[in-house]
């Protein structure tokens, strides 16, 4: 039933790193543009990064130079490498596929605190 599952979240200190994974079942991610979103308490969900079918990444300004999105078609998985983390990065991070049918993952918590 669950088609998109995020993992890799946790508690890190400012300046630390985490790698998030989005694993798919019963769907093929290689035919879809994928995105990572995040939502902090009391705030709107916002796009963090996306990656095209051909593997071209785009990033929100607030993560450029710090985060890297990638995909491994053989593993049917999308990743988000997060470096130089800041307290402002604290949020629930969600994996998203828009087409052909919109699908959201359940989310994984990232907390950046000293």
């Amino acid at each position: 039933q669950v088609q998109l599952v995020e993992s890799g979240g946790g508690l890190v200190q400012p300046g630390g790193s985490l790698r998030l994974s989005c694993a798919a079942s019963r769907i093929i991610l290689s035919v879809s543009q994928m995105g990572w979103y995040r939502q902090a308490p009391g705030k709107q969900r916002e796009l963090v990064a996306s990656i095209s079918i051909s593997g071209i990444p785009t990033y929100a300004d607030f993560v450029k130079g710090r985060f890297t999105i990638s995909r491994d078609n053989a593993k049917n998985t999308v990743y988000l490498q997060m470096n130089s983390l800041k307290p402002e990065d604290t949020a629930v991070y969600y994996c998203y596929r828009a087409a052909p049918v919109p699908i959201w993952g359940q989310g994984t918590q990232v907390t950046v605190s000293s």
Side-chain angles (χ1 to χ4, degrees):
Q1 48 278 15
V2 178
Q3 296 180 289
L4 245 43
V5 179
E6 303 96 333
S7 62
L11 173 64
V12 296
Q13 294 188 337
S17 298
L18 286 173
R19 189 177 77 157
L20 307 184
S21 298
C22 174
S25 62
R26 297 186 289 113
I27 60 173
I28 304 299
L29 299 187
S30 63
V31 299
S32 304
Q33 175 146 351
M34 302 295 300
W36 284 97
Y37 287 73
R38 70 185 187 187
Q39 187 167 24
K43 297 183 179 179
Q44 292 271 84
R45 189 170 297 185
E46 60 185 353
L47 178 65
V48 176
S50 66
I51 186 165
S52 72
I53 294 172
S54 62
I56 306 301
T58 58
Y59 301 97
D61 287 341
F62 52 82
V63 303
K64 284 182 178 178
R66 300 189 297 123
F67 292 10
T68 302
I69 188 171
S70 62
R71 63 196 308 162
D72 187 334
N73 292 337
K75 296 182 178 179
N76 210 22
T77 301
V78 177
Y79 303 96
L80 184 67
Q81 178 67 47
M82 305 185 296
N83 300 324
S84 302
L85 284 162
K86 306 174 181 179
E88 310 92 87
D89 296 318
T90 296
V92 177
Y93 284 70
Y94 298 90
C95 185
Y96 176 69
R97 187 197 76 174
V101 179
I103 299 175
W104 289 93
Q106 299 299 304
T108 185
Q109 176 71 48
V110 172
T111 302
V112 185
S113 176
S114 59

